[in-house]
Each structure stands twice: as C-alpha cells, then as structure tokens.
Amino acid sequence: MKNNIDGHVHLENGPLTKEYVWEFVRSAQKQGITTLQILDHTHRFFEFRDMYRGVCQSADVQKQWFEKKQVNSIREYQALIEEMKKEDFPITVKFGLEVCYSPENEEFLRRALSSYPYDFLVGSVHSIDGLLYDMDAFSKELLWEKQDPSTIYRRYFERLQAAIESDLFTQIGHPDVIKMYNYDPGYDLVPTYQRLAKAAKEHHVKMEDNTGAHYRYHHADVGLNETFRSILQKEGVPIVSASDAHYPKDVAKDFDLLPE
C-alpha cells in the first residue's frame, strides 16, 4: 500500500457501535492501512440542526433528505469515542468530524466545535448558497441545470477558501469534488488552485486526495486533479489520502491508483 493512511471514512450508514467501528478497522488492516481516521457528518447530529436551515428552506426535497439524516445526538458519538479509546487497536485509529462549512455558520461552528475534543476536524463544502451540489436524485435539477457552471465553480471555491482561512479545521475534505459531474467550469482553474494552495500552506491545513468522486461518481480523476495536486505539492501543503468510504468495504478504495 503506497498510501498507508485513510484520512476520511464514515460511520454514516451504520450504527454508532463498537462492533461497527471494528468492521472499518479490520477492513483498513486488510488493505495495509496503518492510520485510520473515522468521522461522521454534522448533519447526522441534532445539535447541528440550525446550520441546515438554508438547505431545508431552499427546497422541500432537500428538507426531506436532511430530516432522514437526523438520527443521533452528538453525545452518543462522544460516548462511542470514549469507549473506543479503551480498545487495543492493531493500527492507529483517530476520531473526528466532517463539518458542512458555510461562511454564514462560522460563528456557530466556532462555539459548537470548541466543546468537542476531536483528533481532527474536516471542513467540507457541500452546498452552494443553500443548494446541495452532489445529490444524484435532485442536484442537477435544482442547481446544475439552472445556473451557469462557472458560477457554481466560483462559489464553491470561494467557500472552500473561506473554510481554509477560518482556522476551524485541520483538514479540508475532497477539495475539488465539485468536478464530479464533469461540467466544464468555463474558466482556467490554475489560478484558483494556486490561491487555495497558498492559503492551505499559510493556515496549516491538510488537503485530501479523495478517491470518492472516482469510484462513487465515475470521474476520470483518481483523487485530486493532477495539476491541483502538483501545485499543492510544490507549495508544500500536506496531502492526505482519503477514500470517503461510507461502508467498511470501501476503506482505501482505489488507493493503488493514487500516486505516491
């Protein structure tokens, strides 16, 4: 295994139990992973509900999606983490949170996240002005077919830069996943990549080489766009391999296709 850390795997589609965590650990060990970072989305937890008002108000279908995701209290996750810290794992296992970042929620997040002592915090952009961009069931109809892709790309990367500069996060999730549906951005992304790389370096934030868009959405890139990856490397930004696995079987998926 060339990349022996999987920095982003989700408990989202299973229970918050010791047994389910061990399924991910055993899968990681089988794949040659020596460090596993386990997390879940803020949208799972009741305490972050207020952050999603814009998403719920923007479309009924998004509200229905969100309501189905609200299944736990963050206290249950914290209790699980405390329980798992007592386990004798065969590999290094860390626990964190994937935060749906938007600038208007930054002060809420600053207060909320200070209450939870996570090993790492992943900041990700999942919506553009209240519209989710990555849902096969409705995102094309609500967003991609109504707005100019160049506007969507620009808004996404503006928010991503704000997430980096917020100093709330140790890691940025799938930083160029906005490419997932293969819409042409309509402009040269190199200056954007350079700006993001400089910001990540300045704010000591790791960037993910996330394979999720490749195996979940069939994008040709395995992980980061090659040019983006090269710019990050040149700037000296730490890059973390990440599968974005939502099931144990997908831990380290397609890592063998990533560059060393």
Side-chain angles (χ1 to χ4, degrees):
M1 172 63 64
K2 295 181 291 186
N3 300 282
N4 60 7
I5 178 173
D6 192 336
H8 186 143
V9 306
H10 285 274
L11 300 178
E12 179 174 3
N13 291 317
L16 294 178
T17 63
K18 180 189 298 186
E19 292 74 21
Y20 195 52
V21 170
W22 268 103
E23 288 186 40
F24 282 90
V25 173
R26 285 191 286 268
S27 179
Q29 189 180 22
K30 183 177 179 180
Q31 296 297 328
I33 294 297
T34 58
T35 298
L36 182 67
Q37 293 191 166
I38 295 174
L39 48 70
D40 231 336
H41 283 293
T42 45
H43 64 228
R44 179 171 188 160
F45 304 114
F46 306 137
E47 289 81 358
F48 293 90
R49 184 182 184 88
D50 287 350
M51 264 180 22
Y52 296 89
R53 285 179 180 170
V55 166
C56 292
Q57 291 170 355
S58 294
D60 286 342
V61 67
Q62 292 189 158
K63 183 178 181 181
Q64 293 166 13
W65 166 85
F66 174 70
E67 294 293 345
K68 290 178 181 178
K69 293 294 184 180
Q70 287 268 278
V71 293
N72 291 103
S73 166
I74 195 75
R75 293 189 294 273
E76 296 173 71
Y77 184 45
Q78 287 300 120
L80 174 64
I81 292 173
E82 291 305 311
E83 186 178 4
M84 300 315 298
K85 295 282 188 182
K86 301 172 186 176
E87 294 292 291
D88 184 19
F89 290 119
I91 60 175
T92 299
V93 180
K94 299 179 179 181
F95 293 90
L97 198 65
E98 181 174 10
V99 179
C100 297
Y101 174 85
S102 58
E104 59 269 26
N105 291 322
E106 190 168 310
E107 288 309 310
F108 169 84
L109 285 171
R110 206 169 294 282
R111 293 191 301 272
L113 295 176
S114 65
S115 302
Y116 309 115
Y118 293 109
D119 297 323
F120 66 100
L121 283 169
V122 176
S124 301
V125 174
H126 289 106
S127 63
I128 309 296
D129 301 319
L131 295 174
L132 300 169
Y133 61 76
D134 61 348
M135 297 293 164
D136 288 343
F138 53 78
S139 289
K140 290 183 180 180
E141 179 183 356
L142 290 179
L143 179 65
W144 290 101
E145 294 174 2
K146 290 188 175 180
Q147 295 189 27
D148 187 329
S150 66
T151 300
I152 298 171
Y153 272 78
R154 290 182 194 279
R155 292 293 288 147
Y156 172 81
F157 285 122
E158 286 170 3
R159 288 176 168 238
L160 198 73
Q161 183 165 350
I164 293 170
E165 294 176 347
S166 72
D167 292 320
L168 288 169
F169 310 113
T170 59
Q171 185 172 315
I172 296 298
H174 41 68
D176 66 343
V177 74
I178 196 68
K179 67 190 177 185
M180 63 202 333
Y181 290 131
N182 287 296
Y183 285 91
D184 186 343
Y187 67 101
D188 184 6
L189 291 177
V190 169
T192 299
Y193 295 155
Q194 293 171 331
R195 186 169 62 250
L196 291 172
K198 289 184 182 299
K201 178 69 172 179
E202 180 180 349
H203 291 269
H204 309 287
V205 173
K206 299 174 183 177
M207 301 286 265
E208 288 182 4
D209 210 351
N210 190 305
T211 60
H214 180 68
Y215 72 85
R216 292 169 65 194
Y217 296 90
H218 312 295
H219 195 279
D221 289 348
V222 182
L224 290 162
N225 170 272
E226 186 176 349
T227 300
F228 194 8
R229 184 189 293 113
S230 177
I231 289 170
L232 290 169
Q233 290 171 331
K234 185 176 181 180
E235 194 67 39
V237 176
I239 297 175
V240 180
S241 49
S243 68
D244 216 328
H246 283 61
Y247 299 93
K249 67 180 179 61
D250 290 328
V251 173
K253 191 169 182 65
D254 290 339
F255 276 19
D256 58 323
L257 304 177
L258 286 171
E260 294 193 41

